[in-house]
Amino acid sequence: MKKILFFFLAISCCGSLAAENGYECWLRYTTADKSVIKSYRQRIQSITLFGTSSTIDAARFELSTALLGLLGKTIPGSNSIRDGSVIAGTTSSSILLSKNITVSDLSQAGTEGFVILSKIIDGKNCTLIIANSDIGVLYGVFHFLRLLQTAQPIQSLHIISAPRIKLRLLNHWDNLNRTVERGYAGSSIWNWHTLPGYIDQRYTDYARLNASIGINGTVLTNVNANATALTRPYLEKVAALANTFRPYGIKVYLTARFSAPIEIGGLKTADPLDPAVRDWWKQKADEIYSLIPDFGGFLVKANSEGQPGPQNYNRTHADGANMMAAAVAPHKGIIMWRAFVYSSENPDDRHKQAYIDFTPLDGKFADNVLVQVKNGPIDFMPREPFHPLFGAMPKTPLMMEFQLTQEYTGQGTHLVYLAPMFKECLESDTYAKGEGSTVAKVVDGSLDDHSLNGMAGVSNIGADINWCGHPFAQANWYALGRLSWDHQLSADTIADEWVRQSFSNHIPLVRDLKFIMLSSREIMVQYMNPLGLHHIMGTGHHYGPAPWVNDLSRPEWNPVYYHRADSFGIGFDRTKSGSNAIAQYKPEATELWRDSNDCDERYLLWFHHVCWNHRMRSGQTLWTALCMYYNMGVDRVSVMKIVWEKQKPFVDAVRFKQVSMLLDIQYEEACWWRDACLLYFQTFSKQPIKEPFVQPTHTLDYYKQLRFPYAPGN
Ligand code: GCV
C-alpha cells in the first residue's frame, strides 16, 4: 500500500513520465511545474511578436510551441494589449516597445542581448521581451522559456542579459565520410551526400538547441582537414546548412587545410608568401562569400600532428594566418588559428612548445585573427593547469578551446559533467596584469581590450537519437553555450537549469542529480588521473588505462613520458631542476605549484617528480595516497549509482535504464583504471596495496594484453 501511494505521489509531483528518447534535450516543453502553472496561465494569455524576419518567425514558432506544451493550451496571437500579453520585438519594430524601455537598459543589452520586463501598460499586466536586433529577440524568447521550464516566478521581471563573449562556437571534428574524430555519439549529423537537396529536420533542431543557449557559430569540419570541403560541390552543401542556421543567428565556418592550394588548386606550393597562393586563397574566399555572404571564416590546425602549415616553407604561424586573414578580411571573415602545436623534432617538454612558438608572434597577427588555445598545455586531460599562453600574448585575442566530447574524460560511457573543469580554468589567475587577471578576462577580451574574442567547444554531437550518446553528455553542450554567454554563471547554476529542463523541477531529483553532476568530474580525476597524473590512456583510441606504453614513435605520445615512474618515485619535474615549464607562468601564479612540499596536491605529479614515500599533507605517503585516491574514485562511482537508483520514480523508464546501464559500465571501467594503474605503478614503488584498499582482480599482464580494435572515435 505504502509503495502504491509513493508511486502516485511520485507521478503527481513529476507530471508525465512517458518514455523519452532524449531528442528534445533541454527544450522538452512538458507541462509546467504545478507550483507555478496557475500564475503562468494568468501571466501568459496572448502573444505578440513584432517583425517579419525569419528570425522573428523562429521566435514565434518557439514561443507558441513551447507555451502549448508548458501551459497545455494554444496561446493566441493578439494585436491588442490585455492582461497576460507577452509582447516581443525590437524597439525599431514597435513604438509600444520603444516607449516602454529605458535607453540605458537597451544599451546594456547591446547587439545580441535582450531585456525582459514585467510592465503594467494601460492597466494591464504585460511581459515585454525587447532587443536591439531580431536575434536578441530570439535569445530573449529562449531565456523567457528557460524561466518557465525551470519554474521561476515571472511576475516582476527586470532582466538585462548580453553575451560576455562575441564568438560562441562549436567545433565539429566531423569528417566528410561521416566519421567523427573522437566522436562517441554515432556518425556525423552532416549528411554530405544528400546535401544540399535534402535538409534534415535535425539541422533545424540543431540550430534551435544552439540558439537556445546562445551559440552563434559552428565549424562544420574536422581540424584534421580535408581540402575537398573547399571544393564547389561541398561549398554548395555548406551554403544549404548556412541557410538553415541563419534564422537562428548561427554562422558557419570551415576548417582550411593549409595545403589546399596544391591539393585542389593545382599549385606547386602552399607557401603563404607566394603571390599565386595568396591569390588562390583570395579567390577561394570570394567564391565562398558569393555562396554564403555571412560565412564566418576558417579554423586552422597547422604544423601539428602531421598537418601541413607555414613552417613547411620556413614561414611562421603568423605568416600563414595573415595570408588567410587577408583573403577573408574584405568580407569581414575571421581566422581562428590553433595553438595546439608540438613537434616530434623538438625534444623539449611538450608542455612548453606552444608557448615557445607563439609568444614571439604576439602583435604580429592581423586584426581578424584569433589564436585558439586549449584550456591546458597538453591536451584536454582530466585535470591540467591553465595554458601558459593565457596572459602571455596581450596583443593577440586568445580564443578558448574546451573539449565537450569526452576523449580523455570517460568517452561515451562515463557520466562526467565538465562545467566545474571549465570554470576551474576560467577562474585561474594568470596574474598577467596583477591579481585578478583571470583566464576568463583574457578570453572575454576585457583584460587587454580585444573586441574580437571567443570560446569554442569541441562538439560531442552525433547522429545518435539523443545527439550526445550519454544522456548526461548533453549537459556539457549546454554548459558550453551558457558559459560562453556568461562565464560568471556557476557550474551549479548551469547544472540546476539543465536538470530542471532535461528532467524535472522535482526538488529532491534536482538536488540529487546536481550532487551527481557536480561531484562527477573530481571522481573521474580520482579513478583516472589523481594527483596530477596525465596522458596515461590507451594508445590511439585513448580508451582506458595504459600507463605502461613506451614504444610509440614519438616520445611525447608515450604515457611513460608523462608519469616518469621509476624506482625513486613518480611525476614530471617541470620546475627549475626539470623542464622548467613552470617558468612560463607569472611567479605569483605558480606559488601553489612551485614547492613539492607545499604544492597544491591536485597538481603534484604534473609539476614534480617525488619519491614514493613523499609525505602528503594528510601525513600519508604518496604511494598510500595514490592507492587511496584510485579507490576513493571507484567508491564514489558506486555512490553515484546508488543516488541514481533512487531517482527511478522520477525519471522516465527509458532514460532511467540508459543511465543505470552506463553507470554500471562506468563502475567497471573505474575499477579497471584503478587496478591497472596501481598494479603498474606498484612495479616501481615495490609497496603493497594495503587494506582497506581493494586488491586488483587480474594481473598486470591481463590489463596489458587488452585490445580494443574498433573503439570509437579513433
Ligand atoms: C583533431 C588530440 C586528439 C586528436 C585531435 C588533436 C587536436 O591529439 O587525440 O584526435 O585531432 O588533439 O586537437 O588537434
Side-chain angles (χ1 to χ4, degrees):
M1 182 62 195
K2 244 189 187 168
K3 259 194 183 156
I4 293 173
L5 189 65
F6 181 63
F7 179 74
F8 282 114
L9 275 175
I11 295 282
S12 64
C13 49
C14 297
S16 159
L17 291 178
E20 295 197 40
N21 61 22
Y23 181 81
E24 282 78 20
C25 295
W26 49 89
L27 300 181
R28 287 158 62 248
Y29 304 140
T30 50
T31 315
D33 200 65
K34 253 177 129 189
S35 60
V36 283
I37 194 160
K38 200 162 153 226
S39 82
Y40 287 178
R41 284 192 174 133
Q42 267 168 10
R43 284 273 161 180
I44 306 172
Q45 298 197 27
S46 72
I47 38 183
T48 308
L49 263 132
F50 291 104
T52 51
S53 69
S54 53
T55 300
I56 294 295
D57 288 346
R60 192 174 287 117
F61 165 82
E62 207 65 39
L63 208 47
S64 49
T65 313
L67 294 179
L68 174 60
L70 285 156
L71 306 182
K73 58 175 184 172
T74 303
I75 305 298
S78 166
N79 287 330
S80 58
I81 293 171
R82 50 158 125 162
D83 249 337
S85 288
V86 176
I87 308 169
T90 61
T91 46
S92 50
S93 68
S94 148
I95 297 174
L96 171 84
L97 293 176
S98 59
K99 267 194 343 208
N100 278 288
I101 184 158
T102 65
V103 175
S104 144
D105 280 3
L106 205 55
S107 82
Q108 283 180 64
T111 46
E112 287 183 290
F114 55 83
V115 182
I116 306 181
L117 294 176
S118 304
K119 273 261 163 172
I120 298 178
I121 303 178
D122 299 341
K124 319 276 188 214
N125 286 311
C126 300
T127 306
L128 310 182
I129 303 172
I130 314 175
N132 290 305
S133 63
D134 288 352
I135 189 63
V137 175
L138 181 63
Y139 288 147
V141 163
F142 274 121
H143 189 91
F144 182 62
L145 296 176
R146 179 157 50 238
L147 297 178
L148 305 184
Q149 289 204 90
T150 55
Q152 304 302 304
I154 57 164
Q155 290 86 314
S156 40
L157 298 174
H158 191 148
I159 297 169
I160 306 170
S161 181
R164 290 183 195 274
I165 290 183
K166 188 167 173 177
L167 306 171
R168 307 178 295 278
L169 264 58
L170 285 182
N171 287 183
H172 286 263
W173 285 357
D174 292 20
N175 299 312
L176 301 184
N177 64 5
R178 298 195 73 181
T179 56
V180 180
E181 183 152 349
R182 311 307 175 187
Y184 310 102
S187 55
S188 167
I189 53 171
W190 317 132
N191 189 341
W192 295 107
H193 190 64
T194 55
L195 280 164
Y198 184 78
I199 303 298
D200 197 315
Q201 175 60 33
R202 265 206 174 219
Y203 305 150
T204 307
D205 291 331
Y206 168 86
R208 289 176 51 237
L209 286 161
N210 277 316
S212 75
I213 50 176
I215 287 174
N216 66 357
T218 177
V219 183
L220 301 172
T221 46
N222 191 352
V223 286
N224 289 333
N226 184 338
T228 307
L230 300 178
T231 59
R232 183 77 185 194
Y234 275 86
L235 293 177
E236 285 167 2
K237 296 168 193 284
V238 172
L241 289 175
N243 293 342
T244 312
F245 301 159
R246 191 167 294 113
Y248 294 89
I250 295 164
K251 283 189 182 181
V252 297
Y253 300 76
L254 288 172
T255 46
R257 185 158 165 90
F258 200 79
S259 49
I262 303 174
E263 287 159 17
I264 58 168
L267 300 187
K268 294 230 152 37
T269 175
D271 181 349
L273 300 192
D274 184 296
V277 173
R278 298 179 74 82
D279 193 53
W280 187 86
W281 280 108
K282 196 189 158 318
Q283 285 187 32
K284 186 47 74 183
D286 293 348
E287 181 189 0
I288 296 176
Y289 281 94
S290 71
L291 293 168
I292 312 163
D294 55 356
F295 179 68
F298 295 124
L299 170 65
V300 189
K301 172 176 177 179
N303 293 120
S304 169
E305 299 186 331
Q307 293 299 302
Q311 291 174 340
N312 299 19
Y313 306 94
N314 290 323
R315 313 295 185 198
T316 68
H317 283 288
D319 293 330
N322 292 347
M323 170 197 58
M324 289 193 190
V328 297
H331 309 283
K332 300 197 164 51
I334 58 139
I335 301 299
M336 294 163 288
W337 194 268
R338 292 177 89 226
F340 178 67
V341 295
Y342 60 99
S343 144
S344 51
E345 285 93 57
N346 188 347
D348 208 349
D349 180 359
R350 174 170 160 188
H351 183 304
K352 293 162 66 181
Q353 296 188 25
Y355 181 100
I356 291 169
D357 264 18
F358 276 85
T359 45
L361 301 177
D362 192 25
K364 300 212 166 95
F365 288 98
D367 289 347
N368 56 336
V369 176
L370 300 103
V371 170
Q372 183 165 305
V373 185
K374 290 188 181 184
N375 55 287
I378 298 295
D379 192 4
F380 301 136
M381 293 295 117
R383 169 165 279 124
E384 299 199 33
F386 67 90
H387 201 299
L389 276 175
F390 291 114
M393 293 185 67
K395 296 184 190 133
T396 312
L398 298 189
M399 185 159 172
M400 172 62 79
E401 180 176 315
F402 287 128
Q403 191 182 45
L404 311 182
T405 192
Q406 293 173 241
E407 176 179 2
Y408 303 106
T409 54
Q411 303 203 342
T413 47
H414 295 212
L415 190 169
V416 182
Y417 172 55
L418 295 171
M421 175 164 115
F422 302 158
K423 288 289 289 184
E424 187 173 284
C425 175
L426 290 165
E427 287 171 358
S428 299
D429 200 339
T430 70
Y431 287 89
K433 288 189 168 170
E435 197 175 346
S437 307
T438 58
V439 171
K441 286 188 188 164
V442 175
V443 171
D444 72 13
S446 60
L447 192 70
D448 300 303
D449 208 15
H450 292 299
S451 55
L452 186 60
N453 50 68
M455 184 186 290
V458 178
S459 157
N460 59 355
I461 296 165
D464 277 5
I465 187 74
N466 71 358
W467 304 84
C468 298
H470 197 303
F472 277 76
Q474 293 176 355
N476 295 329
W477 175 11
Y478 185 86
L480 188 273
R482 296 294 286 137
L483 281 175
S484 58
W485 184 276
D486 183 0
H487 54 69
Q488 290 188 2
L489 291 172
S490 68
D492 184 306
T493 301
I494 296 170
D496 195 278
E497 287 178 0
W498 182 80
V499 168
R500 288 169 181 274
Q501 295 173 95
S502 306
F503 288 95
S504 86
N505 286 292
H506 182 53
I507 300 290
L509 170 123
V510 174
R511 182 199 58 215
D512 288 354
L513 296 198
K514 276 171 57 181
F515 166 78
I516 291 179
M517 289 170 75
L518 291 165
S519 51
S520 61
R521 186 272 183 137
E522 205 58 47
I523 292 173
M524 177 271 299
V525 170
Q526 290 176 345
Y527 64 71
M528 280 189 193
N529 286 190
L531 297 171
L533 284 171
H534 53 289
H535 211 290
I536 55 171
M537 67 290 159
T539 298
H541 46 59
H542 297 171
Y543 171 62
W548 45 82
V549 172
N550 194 14
D551 59 357
L552 304 177
S553 58
R554 291 173 60 155
E556 75 289 349
W557 281 353
N558 289 296
V560 296
Y561 171 94
Y562 297 94
H563 63 68
R564 304 191 169 212
D566 55 21
S567 57
F568 170 81
I570 181 170
F572 197 138
D573 182 1
R574 293 192 163 109
T575 65
K576 246 196 205 150
S577 51
S579 78
N580 207 19
I582 202 164
Q584 294 182 333
Y585 296 95
K586 292 273 178 213
E588 301 91 318
T590 65
E591 213 137 277
L592 289 170
W593 305 326
R594 227 178 295 145
D595 178 355
S596 62
N597 289 314
D598 187 34
C599 181
D600 177 342
E601 289 177 350
R602 296 174 307 165
Y603 299 94
L604 182 63
L605 306 181
W606 188 285
F607 286 111
H608 300 279
H609 188 77
V610 290
C611 70
W612 293 109
N613 288 330
H614 171 89
R615 280 286 148 206
M616 304 295 288
R617 292 222 171 106
S618 61
Q620 291 168 315
T621 65
L622 171 70
W623 172 250
T624 308
L626 210 57
C627 294
M628 183 196 74
Y629 280 119
Y630 271 114
N631 277 274
M632 191 192 275
V634 171
D635 292 348
R636 292 175 75 193
V637 177
S638 51
V639 175
M640 285 165 72
K641 274 158 54 88
I642 293 167
V643 177
W644 177 254
E645 290 303 316
K646 270 180 31 195
Q647 313 310 316
K648 193 167 186 176
F650 314 123
V651 175
D652 64 280
V654 172
R655 288 189 299 166
F656 179 75
K657 181 89 181 103
Q658 286 172 341
V659 175
S660 288
M661 292 185 292
L662 287 164
L663 283 170
D664 286 345
I665 297 175
Q666 183 169 358
Y667 180 77
E668 293 296 318
E669 295 187 348
C671 293
W672 171 29
W673 271 94
R674 175 196 63 197
D675 295 349
C677 290
L678 287 179
L679 278 174
Y680 170 71
F681 292 132
Q682 191 182 35
T683 63
F684 300 97
S685 80
K686 310 261 187 255
Q687 299 193 31
I689 300 168
K690 279 199 201 132
E691 291 276 319
F693 305 129
V694 170
Q695 293 307 309
T697 333
H698 302 282
T699 63
L700 179 57
D701 283 342
Y702 166 84
Y703 295 112
K704 282 187 174 177
Q705 55 78 41
L706 293 174
R707 293 290 176 274
F708 307 95
Y710 301 110
N714 191 3

